[in-house]
């Protein structure tokens, strides 16, 4: 499958995460300056130069576990804290939203437009902070460089790789249910009406030609849908009208974010047992993860006052209840790196952490940061 | 024209891969094998014609010499050679050939594609001669010589006709008549190559594409039927490259084409949730082929990834869709 999928997966999921956190911060009336700091800290970490370098290298997609671990770390890159249940729900929402966007993209290349929509919104979040803005701009350039020259077939391969990653996920999201883009069985509505993709003709015409190349017959057939002509093409430049609404922020303070987990356990019988077997590649994945997360700085909480907890549910009781009642087949099993008895992996990890704390990091507690980092990961 | 029958449940949902359904009819035992790919697993179902017995088997893609390595499967397809039927499973790492019931691995071939290349591999099936050919992401086509018995399959030729990744290949399925061309290959740029098999394969024609990926291709009575990412179907005369017909068939990327050779029925399926049935007729007077639309079936809210006729007359067909854990069947009314 495609080895260029990871950057798109990460940026789009990251974008969705920021939309949701932004909504929750406003819904919980977190003071504006604190909220802004949270968003800035997360975005800074997301677009860390070394991190992105690792990300953009051609490679296979990470496992669901590994990716979830990366996002756990990212969500904790600020003074904001999330409980396990809220983190689970955040991840459910992020993944279902991006799955929806990938499925509904009219053409595979439109996934790039969706990514640009996320990038445009991220840029808007940090428009007042020039240092982060330049990181974001650099990422735009990398995206344009890597993806705008790919053929439609290569984009389809990226899309197919993403769809394999999202296979069998049918978590119901209340915003999607309300807007009738998702059915009560968790499957997305695929309309047989509306504009056709750019480059496609409305189905219905058969043209037949003579051997000399002249059109001799035209016939129409009924296409079983209600299609209209394609809209104009969205812009693939750093600035421009993307045309598609997929990837734009669908949350607002008045539209709460809820997921329904009951009913999905019906599918547990269908889940392949193959994934449950211990993954012999876990060690290699851990090393990759360590290299990747070497670039992710974790915020050390200075004092108890500055940190605060964000709840993805309406009440604390609901959050607790959600943690207890989460169906088995939806447990994410976040990687607990310390738990591996593998000395080499731990040594490797410590070495990488050490490298990053030594290389120009201004924090006074840099020596102990490595230990804190490992300790932090224990808690994941 | 067709009505829906009882679906066959499969153990996993189908992955979004081109032509992700294959069927093999075993008339003497009155059953049909189906294969559907899910990530790194092939789901095989053997369905008896009376609808009473179903048995399942799962094959995982593994390299025999690397115990812990698994890779994603691109395609699992039945290869009907004159003397035997084989199941060919192609993954990112190479190809594995099994007996048609998936019981024994007969042969494997590892691909040495450098890390920088995307590991896409397309399998080709249904060869009238002894050859099994395999298209890979570099555009090369590997040809294997398959003996009528045993596992002495050997790589006999490498065909260079494409510069882009091979997406699909098809052999002539006119059912025994003598044909000039017997293999067509398609690539990501929409280019088509028409070949004649033999001791040495000969490139008969190259039909250029328009930078639109051709995801599915079939060859019937000297006519190439090609399905494209824009939802178009085109019919070309294989040897000359003359365009006979162009159909704005689907609103989304076409994922699968199939032909019922005895009746000339054509099945097309796409991401737009629709399966369409067409009729191809040869018109000897004008030396061309005509296409007429017969029927639509909509599989609601499903991006279809595989559609196959279950028999050579097109009396019944089966469909798979992304995230769907069933094989949906339709029979003529």
């Amino acid at each position: 499958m495609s080895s260029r999928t990871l950057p798109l997966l990460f940026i789009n999921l990251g974008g969705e995460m920021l939309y949701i956190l932004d909504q929750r911060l406003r819904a919980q009336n977190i003071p504006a300056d604190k909220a802004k700091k949270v968003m800035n800290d997360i975005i800074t970490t997301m677009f860390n130069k070394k991190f992105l370098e690792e990300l953009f290298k051609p490679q296979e997609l990470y496992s669901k576990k590994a990716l979830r671990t990366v996002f756990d770390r990212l969500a904790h890159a600020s003074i904001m804290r999330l409980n396990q249940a809220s983190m689970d729900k955040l991840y459910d929402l992020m993944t279902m939203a991006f799955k929806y966007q990938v499925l509904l993209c009219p053409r595979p290349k439109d996934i790039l437009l969706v990514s640009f929509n996320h990038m445009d919104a991220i840029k808007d979040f940090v428009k007042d902070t020039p240092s982060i803005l330049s990181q974001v701009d650099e990422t735009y350039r990398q995206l344009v460089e890597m993806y705008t020259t790919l053929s439609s077939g290569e984009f389809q391969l990226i899309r197919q790789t993403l769809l394999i990653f999202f296979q069998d996920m049918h978590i119901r999201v209340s915003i999607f249910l309300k807007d009738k883009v998702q059915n009560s069985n968790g499957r997305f509505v695929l309309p047989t009406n509306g504009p056709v993709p750019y480059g496609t003709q409305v189905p219905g015409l058969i043209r037949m030609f003579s051997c000399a190349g002249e059109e001799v017959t035209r016939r129409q057939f009924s296409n079983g849908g209600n299609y209209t002509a394609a809209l104009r093409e969205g812009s693939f430049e750093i600035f421009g009208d993307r045309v598609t609404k997929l990837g734009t922020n669908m949350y607002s303070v008045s539209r709460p974010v809820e997921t329904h987990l009951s009913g999905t356990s019906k599918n547990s019988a269908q889940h392949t047992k193959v994934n449950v077997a211990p993954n012999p590649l876990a060690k290699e994945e851990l090393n990759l993860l360590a290299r990747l997360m070497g670039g992710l700085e974790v915020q050390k909480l200075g004092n108890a006052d500055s940190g605060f907890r964000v709840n993805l549910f309406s009440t604390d009781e609901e959050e607790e209840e959600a943690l207890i009642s989460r169906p088995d087949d939806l447990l994410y099993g976040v990687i607990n790196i310390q738990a591996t008895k593998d000395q080499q992996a731990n040594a490797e990890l410590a070495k990488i952490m050490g490298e990053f704390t030594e290389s120009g990091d201004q924090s006074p507690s840099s020596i102990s940061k490595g230990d804190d980092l490992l300790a932090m990961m224990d808690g994941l | 024209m067709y009505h829906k029958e009882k679906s066959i449940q499969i153990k996993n949902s189908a992955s979004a891969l081109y032509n992700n359904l294959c069927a093999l009819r075993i008339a003497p035992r009155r059953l049909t094998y189906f294969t559907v790919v899910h990530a790194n697993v092939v789901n095989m179902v053997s369905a008896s014609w009376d609808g009473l017995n179903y048995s399942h088997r799962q094959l995982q893609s593994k390299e025999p010499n690397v115990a812990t390595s698994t890779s994603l499967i691109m395609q699992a397809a039945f290869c009907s050679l004159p003397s035997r039927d084989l199941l060919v499973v192609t993954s990112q790492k190479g190809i594995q050939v099994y007996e048609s019931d998936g019981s024994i691995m007969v042969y494997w071939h590892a691909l040495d594609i450098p890390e920088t290349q995307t590991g896409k591999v397309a399998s080709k099936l249904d060869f009238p001669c002894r050859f099994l050919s395999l298209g890979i992401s570099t555009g090369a086509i590997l040809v294997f010589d398959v003996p009528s018995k045993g596992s002495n399959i050997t790589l006999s030729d490498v065909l260079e006709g494409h510069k882009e990744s091979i997406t699909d290949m098809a052999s002539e399925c006119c059912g025994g008549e003598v044909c000039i061309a017997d293999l067509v290959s398609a690539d990501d740029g929409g280019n088509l190559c028409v070949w004649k098999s033999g001791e040495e394969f000969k490139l008969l024609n190259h039909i250029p594409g328009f930078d639109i990926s051709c995801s599915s291709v079939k060859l019937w009575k000297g006519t190439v039927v090609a399905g494209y990412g824009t939802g178009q179907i085109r019919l070309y005369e294989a040897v000359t490259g003359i365009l006979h017909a162009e159909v704005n068939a689907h609103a989304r990327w076409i994922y699968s084409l199939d032909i019922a050779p005895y009746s000339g029925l054509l099945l097309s399926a796409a991401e737009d949730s629709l399966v369409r049935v067409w009729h191809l007729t040869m018109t000897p007077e004008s030396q061309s082929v005509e296409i007429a639309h017969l029927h639509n079936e909509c599989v609601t809210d499903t991006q279809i990834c595989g559609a196959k006729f279950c028999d050579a007359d097109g009396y019944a067909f089966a469909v798979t869709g992304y995230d769907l854990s069933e094989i949906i069947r339709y029979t003529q009314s």
Side-chain angles (χ1 to χ4, degrees):
Chain A
M1 305 306 286
S2 177
S3 55
R4 283 183 260 244
T5 316
L6 190 58
L8 293 181
L9 182 60
F10 178 76
I11 286 170
N12 285 291
L13 286 180
E16 286 300 316
M17 182 173 87
L18 290 166
Y19 290 157
I20 298 164
L21 289 178
D22 175 60
Q23 193 269 353
R24 291 315 291 166
L25 290 168
R26 283 183 284 133
Q28 276 184 228
N29 294 311
I30 303 291
D33 60 324
K34 269 195 183 170
K36 199 159 179 72
K37 181 150 177 28
V38 168
M39 297 295 281
N40 283 357
D41 285 348
I42 294 180
I43 294 172
T44 308
T45 313
M46 239 178 100
F47 292 97
N48 171 278
K49 193 164 190 286
K50 275 203 146 47
F51 180 78
L52 286 180
E53 249 172 47
E54 238 350 280
L55 197 76
F56 271 81
K57 285 187 189 152
Q59 60 195 306
E60 294 296 316
L61 263 195
Y62 285 9
S63 67
K64 288 202 176 85
K65 255 195 219 179
L67 201 67
R68 166 62 198 265
T69 308
V70 172
F71 278 102
D72 262 24
R73 292 298 311 281
L74 195 59
H76 289 94
S78 70
I79 52 177
M80 176 192 72
R81 285 292 165 265
L82 291 168
N83 283 346
Q84 168 88 0
S86 278
M87 190 64 221
D88 286 345
K89 181 170 165 180
L90 175 63
Y91 198 69
D92 288 345
L93 286 169
M94 285 158 56
T95 41
M96 287 310 285
F98 190 41
K99 179 175 182 176
Y100 168 71
Q101 289 151 15
V102 171
L103 268 175
L104 270 287
C105 264
R107 302 177 297 176
K109 194 168 183 183
D110 293 342
I111 291 179
L112 192 53
L113 291 174
V114 172
S115 314
F116 281 134
N117 269 332
H118 282 117
M119 289 292 293
D120 292 342
I122 292 172
K123 194 162 170 175
D124 193 60
F125 282 132
V126 294
K127 60 179 185 282
D128 300 327
T129 323
S131 55
I132 316 176
L133 202 55
S134 65
Q135 280 176 267
V136 175
D137 280 339
E138 176 55 33
T139 312
Y140 265 107
R141 273 189 287 278
Q142 279 186 286
L143 280 175
V144 167
E145 192 188 304
M146 185 161 176
Y147 291 102
T148 46
T149 51
L150 291 188
S151 67
S152 61
E154 280 166 303
F155 270 110
Q156 179 64 283
L157 192 62
I158 289 175
R159 184 171 177 278
Q160 289 173 338
T161 311
L162 286 169
L163 287 178
I164 289 183
F165 185 82
F166 290 127
Q167 192 124 13
D168 299 323
M169 294 186 65
H170 300 298
I171 298 166
R172 287 141 52 207
V173 176
S174 68
I175 272 187
F176 288 142
L177 294 171
K178 278 203 195 83
D179 287 348
K180 303 233 186 305
V181 300
Q182 192 180 27
N183 294 321
S184 54
N185 62 6
R187 291 169 190 273
F188 290 115
V189 173
L190 300 180
T192 53
N193 53 38
V196 291
Y198 185 80
T200 293
Q201 304 296 320
V202 173
L205 183 63
I206 302 174
R207 297 166 73 199
M208 287 186 275
F209 303 91
S210 70
C211 291
E214 287 161 16
E215 187 186 301
V216 291
T217 328
R218 275 196 167 215
R219 287 208 199 113
Q220 290 279 354
F221 66 91
S222 99
N223 61 30
N226 191 6
Y227 300 105
T228 53
L231 301 173
R232 67 192 185 287
E233 194 178 23
S235 161
F236 290 98
E237 319 241 321
I238 296 181
F239 299 101
D241 179 8
R242 313 299 177 191
V243 179
T244 179
K245 293 279 161 278
L246 295 170
T248 55
N249 195 345
M250 61 180 170
Y251 304 102
S252 65
V253 182
S254 58
R255 306 188 84 194
V257 287
E258 282 157 38
T259 53
H260 301 263
L261 292 184
S262 61
T264 55
S265 48
K266 273 200 282 279
N267 293 327
S268 59
Q270 309 265 351
H271 277 220
T272 172
K273 291 284 174 253
V274 175
N275 291 335
V276 172
N279 183 1
L281 290 180
K283 183 173 148 204
E284 193 185 286
E285 209 167 49
L286 280 175
N287 287 337
L288 262 175
L289 203 58
R291 273 207 299 282
L292 197 62
M293 303 217 287
L296 290 183
E297 277 194 24
V298 171
Q299 268 283 354
K300 194 168 189 309
L301 288 182
N303 53 54
D305 296 336
S306 60
F308 60 90
R309 195 168 64 78
V310 164
N311 189 346
L312 270 271
F313 299 83
S314 328
T315 63
D316 287 348
E317 291 72 34
E318 236 187 86
E319 192 185 41
E320 258 180 56
E321 177 57 39
L323 183 65
I324 300 166
S325 62
R326 193 172 178 87
D328 279 340
D329 54 305
L330 291 171
L331 292 175
Y332 282 110
V334 170
I335 294 173
N336 184 345
I337 295 184
Q338 190 66 24
T340 66
K341 300 283 181 260
D342 193 315
Q343 293 291 353
Q344 199 193 355
N346 276 338
E348 182 75 25
L349 191 58
K351 177 169 166 279
I352 289 167
M353 295 305 162
E355 272 173 23
F356 278 99
T357 52
E358 278 153 30
S359 57
D361 184 38
Q362 301 304 314
S363 164
S365 57
S366 61
I367 306 301
S368 58
K369 202 167 202 176
D371 295 329
D372 289 335
L373 231 40
L374 279 173
M376 269 293 188
M377 291 207 249
D378 283 1
L380 285 176
Chain B
M1 186 183 174
Y2 286 89
H3 64 269
K4 201 165 154 192
E5 294 268 20
K6 192 170 138 219
S7 298
I8 304 176
Q9 299 301 317
I10 45 179
K11 298 284 186 200
N12 301 120
S13 57
S15 286
L17 299 165
Y18 301 141
N19 309 300
N20 191 5
L21 173 65
C22 211
L24 180 69
R25 213 167 126 94
I26 316 267
R29 291 166 57 199
R30 302 186 62 76
L31 44 82
T32 304
Y33 291 147
F34 292 98
T35 58
V36 182
V37 176
H38 170 99
N40 61 340
V41 172
V42 180
N43 289 294
M44 284 189 72
V45 176
S46 150
S48 64
W49 290 357
D50 57 14
L52 296 177
N53 289 308
Y54 298 103
S55 75
H56 299 262
R57 170 178 257 142
Q58 287 185 312
L59 293 173
Q60 211 175 336
S61 145
K62 260 202 279 267
E63 314 309 310
N65 60 343
V66 184
T68 57
S69 146
T70 64
S71 62
L72 293 175
I73 297 177
M74 308 301 299
Q75 189 175 25
F78 290 109
C79 184
S80 287
L81 303 167
S83 51
R84 66 200 294 198
D85 295 316
L86 294 170
L87 172 65
V88 181
V89 177
T90 61
S91 70
Q92 293 171 270
K93 301 244 177 74
I95 97 173
Q96 289 146 51
V97 182
Y98 295 82
E99 293 296 348
S100 61
D101 62 359
S103 56
I104 309 166
M105 191 192 297
V106 168
Y107 173 75
W108 66 274
H109 177 93
L111 286 172
D112 293 316
I113 298 189
E115 289 300 341
T116 49
Q117 309 239 9
T118 54
K120 185 168 194 286
V121 144
S123 147
K124 201 239 60 72
L125 47 125
D126 287 345
F127 225 111
C129 318
R130 308 184 323 265
F131 299 97
L132 163 69
S133 54
L134 174 79
I136 59 179
S137 62
T138 58
I141 298 170
L142 309 181
V143 181
F144 297 88
D145 196 343
V146 181
S148 49
K149 266 201 291 279
S151 54
N152 191 20
I153 298 176
T154 50
L155 176 63
S156 73
D157 207 351
V158 178
L159 310 176
E160 311 276 357
H162 294 272
K163 295 195 182 56
E164 298 181 63
S165 181
I166 305 282
T167 47
D168 195 18
M169 293 198 285
S171 65
E172 175 61 77
C173 58
C174 58
E177 295 164 25
V178 176
C179 301
I180 308 172
D182 40 28
L183 175 66
V184 64
S185 53
D187 69 24
D188 246 351
N191 303 297
L192 302 165
C193 283
V194 180
W195 310 84
K196 171 107 194 99
S197 68
E199 280 307 315
E200 266 185 32
F201 273 64
K202 190 159 171 278
L203 177 66
L204 295 179
N205 194 11
H206 175 263
I207 302 172
F210 301 93
D211 272 337
I212 308 290
S213 185
C214 172
S215 43
S216 203
V217 75
K218 282 277 174 259
L219 185 59
W220 182 70
K221 297 197 175 175
T223 304
V224 173
V225 183
Y228 295 85
T230 50
Q232 264 196 349
I233 293 176
R234 284 193 221 122
L235 280 83
Y236 289 99
E237 189 173 287
V239 177
T240 59
I242 293 175
L243 176 67
H244 284 307
E246 185 179 83
V247 185
N248 295 337
H250 286 275
R252 294 279 190 282
W253 204 284
I254 292 179
Y255 258 63
S256 194
L257 290 178
D258 196 27
I259 294 186
Y262 296 164
S263 57
L265 287 178
L266 168 70
L267 198 60
S268 68
E271 283 176 358
D272 61 1
S273 311
L274 285 154
V275 184
R276 305 198 198 272
V277 184
W278 317 79
H279 191 215
L280 300 176
T281 36
M282 309 294 295
T283 48
E285 313 88 47
S286 54
Q287 296 228 304
S288 77
V289 59
E290 290 193 353
I291 178 168
H293 175 256
L294 294 182
H295 183 72
N296 295 327
E297 282 292 340
C298 181
V299 185
T300 316
D301 299 335
T302 305
Q303 298 202 339
I304 303 176
C305 50
K308 270 267 178 315
F309 281 117
C310 299
D311 56 274
D313 286 300
Y315 178 72
F317 65 88
V319 168
T320 54
Y322 170 66
D323 254 358
L324 221 54
S325 302
E326 54 185 313
I327 299 173
I328 307 174
R329 289 187 298 177
Y330 300 87
T331 317
Q332 271 186 26
S333 314

